[in-house]
Amino acid sequence: MINTTPERPTSIGVEDVRDYPMFIDGQWTDSESGKWREVTTPVSRNLVIGRAPDASADDVNRAVQAARRAFPAWRALHFSERQRILAKIADALEARTEEFARLTALDTGNAIRTQARPEATTTVNLFRYFAGVAGEVKGTVLPAGENQLQYTRQEPLGVVGCILPWNSPLMIAGFKLPAALAAGNTLVVKAAEAAPLSLLLLAEVCAEHLPPGVFNVLTGRGSVAGAALVGHPDVDKVSFTGSTEVGKGVARKASERLAHVSLELGGKNPSIVFPDAAEDDDLIGNLLLASRVQRQGQSCTAGSRLFLHTSIYDDVLSRLVDALAEQVVGNPLDEVTDIGAIINATQLESVSQYVTEGLSTAGITAALDGTATPTDADGYYLRPTVFSGADNKWRLSREEIFGPVLVAIPWTTREEVIEMANDSHYGLAAYVWTHNLDDALTTAHALETGWVQVNQGGGQVIGQSYGGYKQSGWGREVSLEGMIAGFTQTKQINVRIAG
Ligand code: NAD
């Protein structure tokens, strides 16, 4: 047992490599196995900034048992008490927003101005939102007759296991944690191996306000700690965000014991530009936002399949390429940086392979070759690449690259572009660019995705339903309805009233 709150780095100037223990049952702890794994920062290639425990199945069991013990008292609290606690956590997070932003930049490589700071702010807002709606976990009363009282209650599921990815771990934790807690569940959270630090800082803040065992954070490998959490008989629900491939395995394993499961998975999202939108002054800025290149393309909602109408194809493409070429790629802790670092060498290699494939395939044109100009920074940095004249059937157009790579595909009729956009096993998000109401709404309604944005690249509001169609996932988050559907179950009570 370690049990002292560790100091956390906020710049890569830290000379000493520290241990960052995990958080179980209100205590800072190492793994029972005694094993640790190095934590590196993508900011500077291979720089080790610490170690985090390599959690074993025994550690998972410890955390689940702590969450189980804490559940009866936590669920029994009046909602207004859970609300008060979550609102206090939101205030405490807000007071440390800058620390969270810097740590997120260091942990994930996301640029502080364009990504990490907004992610920290959104996390605060998510805690505040779910604190606010904690009293909305309501049932219904049925019109069952004068001698009957028939009603439903929305009850918590119990122990929820949350498994998080590395791309925006803090904000995605904010999608799940306050919703599950507000509804009366207790939590065991498994941080991604590649970016565990912001989650451990979140545990530190929550520890000041939550009873021991209500919120536990594990570090370690997905194949060990993640798998043990999914398979643990005392975990009532698994809430997973990550790749479609791993998500399918998680769903299979959790289904063996009929545990509740929700999945937020990958995307290969269409961004459809109609001719009239080319007139918009802010089109290019918005397309850039939608492409998520400012998060290195490491976003499940990246509008990476760019469908440009043939009449405006060359004009929009050349303006977008100019704007992408001007993006400042470099140290995520630097305020001038637009695009930070790719998470690690493996991911850089994976993205680079897609780029190499595009560059070496006959018939594909690189309108912008991100590999042609190296960046000045020493780390996993890559400038954006745009492939032009793409075919929707190409591997580059079908697979989630999760890097700053766009494919531009020409189209002529609305029916044709809708068909191409829907020709994907993914269905997370989509973008439609036109001021023609009929085109905008017909297209938005026909797209097989869980989220469609019209004429904007950002615009996610806390409280909106968020989740995927098809192989982009099961369930919804970020919203009151997602909280009720995802973190409660319905109990029906029928009472005979003696007259
Ligand atoms: P990943 O699937 O490799 O890992 C996600 C998490 O699962 C990690 O914590 C990992 O340790 C864990 N894990 C790995 N193997 C496991 C197993 N066998 N059992 C249980 N857990 C296991 O994903 P990633 O590379 O961390 O994140 C990138 C992916 O996440 C992309 O596909 C992206 O689209 C997706 N994503 C989706 C959303 C969304 O909201 N839909 C948001 C962010 C990221």
Side-chain angles (χ1 to χ4, degrees):
M1 195 67 63
I2 287 173
N3 212 21
T4 52
T5 306
E7 209 177 307
R8 295 172 208 291
T10 49
S11 79
I12 59 163
V14 283
E15 304 288 303
D16 50 336
V17 171
R18 298 200 182 92
D19 287 344
Y20 299 103
M22 53 193 181
F23 189 67
I24 299 177
D25 206 9
Q27 311 278 337
W28 295 103
T29 174
D30 55 357
S31 167
E32 287 190 0
S33 69
K35 289 188 187 154
W36 295 77
R37 288 170 59 83
E38 283 181 345
V39 179
T40 56
T41 175
V43 173
S44 183
R45 196 182 296 265
N46 292 332
L47 185 72
V48 176
I49 53 172
R51 298 191 312 167
D54 188 8
S56 64
D58 289 342
D59 300 316
V60 171
N61 187 44
R62 255 195 311 154
V64 173
Q65 294 314 327
R68 177 60 59 199
R69 282 193 302 275
F71 176 57
W74 181 248
R75 76 171 291 179
L77 283 182
H78 193 271
F79 84 83
S80 57
E81 186 59 20
R82 289 198 296 270
Q83 182 167 58
R84 196 182 59 80
I85 292 171
L86 289 170
K88 276 190 169 179
I89 292 173
D91 290 345
L93 292 173
E94 190 166 40
R96 297 174 75 172
T97 304
E98 199 53 23
E99 196 183 340
F100 272 101
R102 292 188 71 78
L103 190 63
T104 295
L106 198 62
D107 206 19
T108 64
N110 294 348
I112 189 151
R113 176 177 52 80
T114 59
Q115 300 298 316
R117 194 173 289 124
E119 287 170 32
T121 307
T122 303
T123 308
V124 172
N125 294 338
L126 283 158
F127 270 84
R128 205 157 271 155
Y129 171 83
F130 286 111
V133 297
E136 295 300 315
V137 185
K138 297 189 284 207
T140 53
V141 179
L142 276 68
E146 288 305 309
N147 66 340
Q148 287 282 321
L149 172 61
Q150 300 199 354
Y151 65 100
T152 62
R153 286 160 57 88
Q154 293 305 130
E155 299 191 339
L157 298 173
V159 175
V160 176
C162 298
I163 300 180
L164 298 173
W166 46 258
N167 61 333
S168 304
L170 182 67
M171 185 174 74
I172 291 167
F175 290 180
K176 302 180 189 296
L177 276 43
L181 290 170
N185 302 279
T186 55
L187 296 176
V188 178
V189 180
K190 182 0 219 123
E193 330 35 350
L197 296 185
S198 60
L199 259 295
L200 293 170
L201 182 58
L202 182 63
E204 184 184 318
V205 172
C206 290
E208 291 167 23
H209 302 280
L210 290 170
V214 169
F215 176 45
N216 306 276
V217 178
L218 299 166
T219 54
R221 285 167 290 164
S223 56
V224 179
L229 189 58
V230 174
H232 198 292
D234 254 340
V235 172
D236 300 288
K237 153 132 197 187
V238 179
S239 176
F240 175 87
T241 299
S243 61
T244 294
E245 194 189 334
V246 174
K248 283 182 187 173
V250 165
R252 268 194 298 273
K253 191 162 181 177
S255 301
E256 278 170 20
R257 57 188 178 84
L258 298 183
H260 297 257
V261 187
S262 58
L263 304 166
E264 294 288 354
L265 307 175
K268 186 75 178 178
N269 311 291
S271 186
I272 303 174
V273 185
F274 283 75
D276 68 291
E279 306 286 319
D280 291 356
D281 291 340
D282 59 359
L283 174 71
I284 300 303
N286 264 311
L287 284 176
L288 201 145
L289 209 56
S291 74
R292 307 286 192 262
V293 290
Q294 290 186 335
R295 207 192 290 153
Q296 301 78 257
Q298 296 172 162
S299 165
C300 48
T301 57
S304 53
R305 276 192 300 155
L306 188 60
F307 290 101
L308 301 175
H309 190 268
T310 44
S311 64
I312 45 96
Y313 186 93
D314 290 337
D315 166 48
V316 172
L317 187 62
S318 80
R319 285 191 285 137
L320 180 61
V321 161
D322 288 349
L324 287 168
E326 279 173 14
Q327 293 289 294
V328 177
V329 182
N331 188 332
L333 290 160
D334 194 333
E335 293 289 338
V336 302
T337 297
D338 297 309
I339 301 176
I342 286 180
I343 188 75
N344 54 29
T346 311
Q347 186 62 16
L348 182 67
E349 174 60 24
S350 161
V351 177
S352 302
Q353 276 179 11
Y354 281 104
V355 176
T356 306
E357 178 180 317
L359 294 174
S360 58
T361 305
I364 305 183
T365 317
L368 181 64
D369 175 4
T371 59
T373 325
T375 67
D376 298 334
D378 169 34
Y380 306 120
Y381 295 91
L382 188 61
R383 295 184 191 281
T385 293
V386 183
F387 290 113
S388 171
D391 190 308
N392 199 43
K393 302 271 181 230
W394 290 349
R395 199 170 84 95
L396 288 168
S397 311
R398 306 192 72 77
E399 295 182 8
E400 184 186 47
I401 298 174
F402 226 53
V405 180
L406 307 184
V407 290
I409 303 172
W411 62 276
T412 49
T413 68
R414 190 175 73 194
E415 292 66 32
E416 174 198 17
V417 76
I418 290 171
E419 196 180 318
M420 283 195 285
N422 285 340
D423 182 15
S424 170
H425 62 285
Y426 291 118
L428 188 59
Y431 305 84
V432 179
W433 310 89
T434 177
H435 294 283
N436 178 308
L437 195 64
D438 296 331
D439 281 335
L441 297 187
T442 303
T443 307
H445 295 178
L447 288 170
E448 296 163 358
T449 61
W451 182 22
V452 182
Q453 298 217 66
V454 179
N455 295 324
Q456 59 181 356
Q460 181 166 14
V461 167
I462 293 170
Q464 77 171 59
S465 254
Y466 176 71
Y469 280 19
K470 301 200 260 189
Q471 292 189 26
S472 288
W474 290 345
R476 295 292 177 269
E477 294 185 335
V478 194
S479 51
L480 173 60
E481 61 269 29
M483 165 181 162
I484 291 171
F487 295 116
T488 72
Q489 53 196 339
T490 306
K491 180 181 281 175
Q492 170 77 35
I493 299 171
N494 298 4
V495 184
R496 184 173 66 84
I497 304 170

